[in-house]
Amino acid sequence: MNESQSIKLASDFFNALYGKINNGFLSLWTSENKETKWYEVKEIETAAFDSTMLAKEYNVYIGVGLRKERLGKYERGRNTDILYLPGVWVEIDIKGGKHAAKNLPNEQEAKVILDTFPLEPSIMINSGGGWHCYWLFDEAVRILTENDRESADRMLKRFQSVFIRLAKEKGLHIDNTSDLARVLRVPGTYNRKEQPKLVSTLKMSDHRYSLMELRNAIEELEIKNPSNNNHGIKDRKPQLPDAKVKPIIEGCNFIQSYLDNKESATYSEWMAALSIGAYCESYEKICHEWSVGHPSYTESETNRKITEIRSKMKPRTCSSINEEFGVCNGCKYSNIINSPIAIGMKNNIADAHSSNTMVPLPYFIAGNKLFKTVTRKVKGVEVEEEVIVSRMAPKIIKEFSNIERNSVHYEITWMNRGQEKHEIVPASTLSTRKELLTLADKGFSVNDINYKDLINYFDKYLSFNGLEHCHMVERLGRIKNNFIHPLESCGVEIVPNDIGERQLLEGFEIKGTPETWKNEVLDRIKAYPKVLFIVLASFASVILHDLEVSPFIIDLSGPTSQGKSTSLQVARSVWGSESLINEWNATRVSIERKAGFLNSFPLFMDDTRKADERILQSVIYMFSGGRSKGRGSLKGSQREATWNNILISTGEVSLADYAAKAGGAAARIISIVDQPFVKVDHQFFSDIYKAMNENHGAIGVEFIKYWREKRNIFIREFYKFKELYMKKSKDNEVLTRLSLYYASVHFTGSVLNKGFNFDIDLNTLVCLFDEIAKENHALDKPKEILEQMLYELDSTRNDIYYDNLPNDIKAVYHHNTICLMPSFLKKFLSMKKK
């Protein structure tokens, strides 16, 4: 086979697996040197070519699941690194090759095992030692959360266990290759375990399968060995009241189908039905009636199953029943209840259906109020009474999984004076007194009297109602493999932790278009390099993570009424309204929480005069470190906030001057001094503010989209800018560090020129770097200290000993030389040390 044919085999294979996926990273691994080459999924043809070239020397493997990000040269990735799974697979080693296992099937036996499975493979690869068989999904499974990963892992293990069991029944062996990060051979390459054998394609079909089709096929084979079925039932007795059976029979499609066909029903269907019947009133009678006629029925066996279910199992859920038997289409309770048992536990099914909820007994809703039914004895007679629980009837309508960490939130809603209120709260809020009572501040009717009933109500509500499942984050910017912008969050809900963060969130808004912002705002300021630099930094903030640049600070300082605040306003117009501007009149904790919430987006801080000077030095170090202060908790330590963005500050006095005693501060701050605007009048400022009010936010959204699309093309160019400014720093330690920050801003300007035709004169930025280096005395700390010492000596000449002996000797003048006293020198050197 020639090279072009080999490349085509690999290309066809990669396109079949990944052709419909837009993001993620494909990996080629070579076993001899343990090296991995990484490709964006759009680079399929490059990967196909490289696999053929590598095959001339190495065994070449593909990581079947696409990885979230490009990992290291010697990393293959783990299960936690998988972003997309294109299908499921099984690897069948054939007798005769070089294999560790001895009881392997021959080709005929392997074909019998494959043919036993109801669905044909989409792809079959001859690996040179066996078969790699793939069943591809009609839509690749995306893995964002821990729950997604666990679900995919269970599916793959369950799938392969069918083939492993089929082989075992015949005394044969099939390897378990059910790890999500599995690597398998690439067609068009060679198996080099012995004499090189071509890895070829035996079958390439258009067969694609839904998860439901695969699960149904698995079930067909699993029911032949019911002891292997595991539906995740926990070994604990559920506390459930017995339900009424008639509404269940009338309302559940599965129970109706089972009762109509129980003589031919499978063992799994029988057990699923009994898991419902065992929690109905007169359950023993019901379970026997439902079992008579089933092939597995005997009175003793059914009694044993009833005892087992009621002591150890819960009623089967609607989702698990539908996944296995596919009989729930058209069910009027779809997405309303969690289990068929809930139909028999609702006192008013008509009301429940009309309101799209199932209210669990003993609670009910009337007139938008929550009641419960209690039983009291009056003169020896039991009497039911209706007692109000809350003057507002809450409902839980959505469940949110946090994609950044393993936590769950719920969205609850209630009516208050004719208005529908919504709140997204942590799951703990609905289960603990202290947190539930915080909802009183949001207008919900909860107090020290009814909180126990509400907690019980919420718990049962979750058991009986299916919820829409969504994803959420608590902050913005780069989160794992996602980039979250408030106006383009791709279906991910943003849930701020507090009101201050919500205010920042509301600042992200769009007025005008990218083109009008360019014409009305950018074109007015791009002739002023200092303002332009700050505006470009506003863009650069969101790509620091990709450029592998740490957080840093840009500080614009100078006399009052010279346009500093206006410059800051222009920079914020990239992302939204003036609500994004914060004042330095804040605590350190407030600043670190805002930085953590914005994460990748720039933090705008105005007017250092309002700051507490005592915290400025620590804020500089804290922000540039990208991590909040570590704090303890009752159980250990609190979660630390992190960020990777740019802080843009203004003030009459430079931040570097406030932190003058800290020698390392200068390497964390790009200081821009003096007037940002030169020779402009009041009309200019009036026009620019009007333009910003009418045009903001749109250009930022478009920049993120453009960067996401072109990132891999542009990112190589960044190194040219790094080299440029490294050379200009001339081995100055502080300038060398600042050069990386400056390069990121200059590079961003280059990207904007190419993507949006900004027509920025980037040479002005190079000149600005030289100007900043010249004006910033803090860049040369020894020189700065020497100037300070000479200044003090000049202002206190009486303390210099040359004719008369002073009381406090700071220096001695002798033979036209000033000799500094050790105590005086120590004073300044200690400042440097601090």
Side-chain angles (χ1 to χ4, degrees), residues 665-682:
R668 291 164 169 81
I669 305 169
I670 294 179
S671 294
I672 303 175
V673 297
D674 291 338
Q675 300 180 40
F677 295 99
V678 181
K679 296 181 181 179
V680 295
D681 55 20
H682 291 293

Side-chain angles (χ1 to χ4, degrees), residues 117-148:
F117 192 71
L119 303 176
E120 295 180 24
S122 309
I123 299 174
M124 285 183 63
I125 303 298
N126 182 341
S127 69
W131 298 343
H132 296 174
C133 306
Y134 298 83
W135 286 256
L136 300 184
F137 300 136
D138 54 4
E139 184 175 346
V141 171
R142 190 179 186 191
I143 300 173
L144 292 178
T145 67
E146 183 65 26
N147 287 337
D148 294 341

Side-chain angles (χ1 to χ4, degrees), residues 584-650:
W584 272 109
N585 183 22
T587 65
R588 173 189 163 122
V589 173
S590 167
I591 294 169
E592 72 178 39
R593 288 183 178 173
K594 287 178 179 179
F597 177 71
L598 291 167
N599 188 17
S600 301
F601 291 95
L603 174 59
F604 302 106
M605 302 295 294
D606 190 26
D607 199 353
T608 51
R609 288 181 308 171
K610 299 179 180 179
D612 182 347
E613 293 185 23
R614 295 171 297 178
I615 71 166
L616 284 176
Q617 180 177 318
S618 63
V619 167
I620 291 168
Y621 278 91
M622 176 268 297
F623 181 85
S624 58
R627 183 177 294 271
S628 66
K629 182 178 180 180
R631 297 177 175 90
S633 68
L634 292 176
K635 296 182 179 179
S637 59
Q638 297 180 23
R639 181 170 173 264
E640 296 177 6
T642 59
W643 53 85
N644 195 5
N645 53 355
I646 299 174
L647 189 158
I648 304 177
S649 169
T650 66

Side-chain angles (χ1 to χ4, degrees), residues 65-68 78-86 137 140-153 180-181 403 471 480-482:
L66 288 180
R67 275 53 171 171
K68 296 177 182 178
R78 299 167 294 178
N79 285 2
T80 52
D81 296 310
I82 304 303
L83 177 63
Y84 279 105
L85 204 65
F137 300 136
V141 171
R142 190 179 186 191
I143 300 173
L144 292 178
T145 67
E146 183 65 26
N147 287 337
D148 294 341
R149 182 164 51 255
E150 288 177 358
S151 177
D153 186 61
L180 299 179
I403 66 174
H471 294 105
K480 293 192 174 178
N481 204 42
N482 303 278

Side-chain angles (χ1 to χ4, degrees), residues 367-392:
N368 288 323
K369 296 180 176 65
L370 181 65
F371 295 84
K372 72 172 180 178
T373 302
V374 298
T375 302
R376 302 183 190 280
K377 281 193 175 183
V378 179
K379 296 181 179 179
V381 179
E382 289 188 349
V383 178
E384 284 191 350
E385 293 183 1
E386 296 175 354
V387 178
I388 188 168
V389 174
S390 172
R391 54 187 171 83
M392 298 167 187

Side-chain angles (χ1 to χ4, degrees), residues 422-556:
H422 290 261
E423 282 292 328
I424 299 176
V425 298
S428 58
T429 299
L430 306 185
S431 59
T432 57
R433 171 185 176 274
K434 182 179 179 180
E435 295 189 45
L436 184 60
L437 289 174
T438 62
L439 291 179
D441 294 334
K442 307 293 177 64
F444 179 59
S445 176
V446 56
N447 51 54
D448 275 331
I449 298 174
N450 67 1
Y451 76 89
K452 287 185 178 179
D453 270 319
L454 285 170
I455 289 173
N456 184 42
Y457 164 75
F458 284 130
D459 184 55
K460 290 186 175 181
Y461 190 102
L462 289 170
S463 297
F464 303 145
N465 290 277
L467 303 179
E468 179 184 354
H469 186 266
C470 307
H471 294 105
M472 60 155 285
V473 292
E474 294 175 317
R475 59 189 189 137
L476 309 178
R478 174 74 62 178
I479 298 177
K480 293 192 174 178
N481 204 42
N482 303 278
F483 194 93
I484 307 299
H485 186 290
L487 305 178
E488 196 191 46
S489 55
C490 303
V492 178
E493 187 78 17
I494 301 167
V495 184
N497 281 322
D498 215 332
I499 186 66
E501 294 167 355
R502 190 175 296 278
Q503 287 175 335
L504 281 176
L505 188 66
E506 292 168 354
F508 287 86
E509 65 177 31
I510 290 177
K511 283 189 178 180
T513 65
E515 189 65 24
T516 58
W517 182 87
K518 173 182 174 292
N519 295 336
E520 299 297 325
V521 180
L522 179 69
D523 286 352
R524 294 177 191 270
I525 62 92
K526 66 183 182 182
Y528 305 100
K530 294 178 180 178
V531 185
L532 177 62
F533 185 81
I534 291 174
V535 173
L536 295 181
S538 187
F539 286 101
S541 181
V542 298
I543 66 173
L544 289 191
H545 176 274
D546 292 329
L547 301 181
E548 298 182 354
V549 176
S550 302
F552 63 94
I553 299 169
I554 297 176
D555 178 48
L556 177 59

Side-chain angles (χ1 to χ4, degrees), residues 188-219:
T189 66
Y190 290 88
N191 185 329
R192 296 181 175 276
K193 284 187 176 180
E194 298 178 307
Q195 289 297 317
K197 295 179 182 178
L198 179 68
V199 179
S200 60
T201 302
L202 297 176
K203 174 183 178 180
M204 179 82 69
S205 73
D206 294 330
H207 292 313
R208 300 293 184 271
Y209 303 104
S210 67
L211 290 172
M212 180 65 67
E213 288 176 299
L214 286 164
R215 283 176 178 139
N216 288 342
I218 293 168
E219 168 64 14

Side-chain angles (χ1 to χ4, degrees), residues 107 126 184 203 323 337 396 467 553 637 681 759 827:
E107 288 194 4
N126 182 341
L184 295 175
K203 174 183 178 180
E323 283 179 4
I337 62 173
I396 308 172
L467 303 179
I553 299 169
S637 59
D681 55 20
D759 194 27
K827 169 186 173 183

